[in-house]
Structures are given as C-alpha cells and as structure tokens.
Amino acid sequence: MAYRIAIIVGSLRAGSFNRQLGEALTKLPAAAGHHFVFPDIGTLPLYDQDADGAPAAEVTAFKQAVASADAVIFVTPEYNRSIPGVLKNALDQGSRPYGKSVWGGKVAGVIGTSPGKVATALAQQHLRNVLAYLDMPTLNQPEAFVQWSDTLLDDSGAVGEGSAGFLDGWMKAFLALVDAHVS
Ligand code: FNR
C-alpha cells in the first residue's frame, strides 16, 4: 500500500543537515511509491493556550498536513542534549485544543543527524518520551543515530554507499510498522 508520510524536520536552518537527511530518506529504494510531504513548522506561532479557540491559519494548515498523513517521520537535530524548541512547539500546537490532537495513533519514526559522536541520541530519547504521551506507536529498532559527515550523502543528495544499506533497512522497518497499524 502506498502511504502519505509527513516528514517533520526539527531545524529551520537553510542547508540543515537534518533537512538534507529527510530529503535523502525519500530517495531510498524502500521509499519508492510512497508520497512524502514536509509540513512547515517554522511559521507556527509560539503555542499559547489562549489561542486554542481561534488558531492561526498556519496552525490549522499544519494540523491538516499531519492529519492527512498516514504516518510521521521526525528528523531532528539535538540542541543542548534535547529536541529543538521549534519541534516541541510544533508537537504542542498539534496536540491542542484538548481532545483535538492530530498525533494520536499515528505511527512515528525518529531519526536525526549531528556532526557529534552521539549523533542526536539524547534528543531522540527525549522525543520518544513526548511521542509516548501523544500516543504515537513509534519504531523502536533499529535506532538511527546518524553522524553527519561530508560523505553521508552523494552529490545528488541521495544517501551515499556507506549508509544506504542501513538507512534502507530502517525505512523498511518503519514501513512495516505502518503496515501493522494502517489497514
Ligand atoms: C547544537 N549542536 C549540538 N549537537 C549535538 O550533537 N548535541 C547537542 O546537544 C548540540 N547542541 C546544539 C545546540 C544549539 C543551539 C545548536 C545551534 C547546535 C550542533 C548541531 O548538531 C549542529 O548545529 C547541526 O548542524 C544542527 O542540525 P541542522 O540544523 O544542520 O539540521
């Protein structure tokens, strides 16, 4: 079955390594035939519970983009050993008003890259904590702590030889979890 998958990137930086990794994931052999969208989290206002009754157009558009997806992949950097504030803000925006969360039941994949040796491991653990509360069935294994290097991707932006097999296996495992929950 062909799925619509939202890739949420936790960095707003032009040239973000995580954005590049997210785009490369869509080019993996296992991703062929599926449709990927990249909902924008950079235009979301800071979450304010007072705005629950009259959400900004950007919030409504973001929630619709997530709601219309079969599953979500979070590709995030690690900021100060946790997830970036912009990503937490997007998670909070999508979770409210109470009872109107777009996250519940959607399968999630968690992945990220950093030049550092622990390569987003701690941010991913924090993110998993939030996703558990949001009731998102999340791929546990394989974990994907991807250390960024100039050779991670090739000149076309696809995953280079060194990591292609591992990341294709990660995508297959993610899609198998989606299969198990959607249908
Ligand atoms: C970082 N960086 C970083 N790296 C890491 O491995 N662990 C960390 O805790 C942090 N903390 C951190 C905080 C802040 C505020 C910044 C700006 C950066 C470095 C980070 O991995 C690097 O800047 C990446 O390039 C960020 O990902 P994108 O924007 O390239 O996707």
Side-chain angles (χ1 to χ4, degrees):
M1 186 169 161
Y3 296 119
R4 184 178 173 84
I5 297 168
I7 297 187
I8 297 180
V9 177
S11 170
L12 307 184
R13 186 172 79 85
S16 158
F17 299 151
N18 285 277
R19 171 89 196 189
Q20 292 180 59
L21 175 60
E23 284 169 2
L25 292 178
T26 71
K27 299 175 184 171
L28 290 166
H34 300 286
H35 183 64
F36 294 88
V37 294
F38 288 75
D40 185 9
I41 66 170
T43 55
L44 293 173
L46 287 178
Y47 178 73
D48 175 353
Q49 195 174 357
D50 286 340
D52 272 4
E58 291 84 355
V59 174
T60 303
F62 174 72
K63 289 186 75 174
Q64 277 170 354
V66 175
S68 65
D70 295 303
V72 183
I73 295 175
F74 295 94
V75 189
T76 188
E78 178 171 290
Y79 279 4
N80 301 314
R81 297 290 183 251
S82 188
I83 58 174
V86 287
L87 177 55
K88 183 59 164 59
N89 186 54
L91 288 160
D92 292 342
Q93 289 283 14
S95 73
R96 290 282 160 153
Y98 184 77
K100 303 279 182 196
S101 170
V102 289
W103 304 114
K106 276 195 204 299
V107 172
V110 175
I111 188 168
T113 187
S114 145
K117 283 210 165 35
V118 294
T120 75
L122 290 151
Q124 291 191 32
Q125 284 309 124
H126 280 192
L127 178 56
R128 286 175 184 279
N129 202 49
V130 178
L131 302 187
Y133 180 71
L134 294 175
D135 200 21
M136 301 183 77
T138 303
L139 180 67
N140 290 321
Q141 295 292 344
E143 296 172 304
F145 309 138
V146 181
Q147 187 173 23
W148 179 267
S149 77
D150 291 345
T151 55
L152 179 67
L153 308 182
D154 66 20
D155 290 346
S156 73
V159 181
E161 256 178 47
S163 300
F166 171 75
L167 288 174
D168 201 48
W170 182 89
M171 182 60 82
K172 278 187 188 143
F174 172 71
L175 291 169
L177 188 66
V178 181
D179 277 339
H181 284 267
V182 178
S183 65

